[in-house]
Amino acid sequence: MVSFKCKDIGMDCPFEAPAANVQELDNKIVKHAHDAHKIESLDKDMWMKIRKVEK
Ligand SMILES: [Zn+2]
């Protein structure tokens, strides 16, 4: 299992996502970023931050 917390990348957001693997987690993060933060696509810097806090 892996998980991601939006607040770990500095967002003021209670979103937490558990997933079976990183690929599934990435999909959830992309969807959340779009739905909750209106981010159309995550850039390289954003992914670097996300990679550091995914665990
Ligand atoms: Zn969020």
Side-chain angles (χ1 to χ4, degrees):
M1 288 291 283
V2 288
S3 68
F4 168 80
K5 291 190 185 80
C6 219
K7 68 175 165 56
D8 287 350
I9 58 164
M11 305 294 256
D12 182 16
C13 173
F15 177 76
E16 278 189 55
N21 54 58
V22 171
Q23 197 174 16
E24 189 186 315
L25 188 57
D26 286 352
N27 289 337
K28 288 188 180 187
I29 293 168
V30 167
K31 189 173 187 313
H32 170 75
H34 182 264
D35 294 350
H37 301 292
K38 308 290 178 225
I39 298 169
E40 289 296 330
S41 68
L42 295 160
D43 62 20
K44 197 156 62 71
D45 287 351
M46 203 65 137
W47 277 117
M48 275 170 60
K49 281 190 197 173
I50 293 166
R51 289 282 174 259
K52 279 184 199 158
V53 301
E54 280 177 330
K55 51 185 176 268

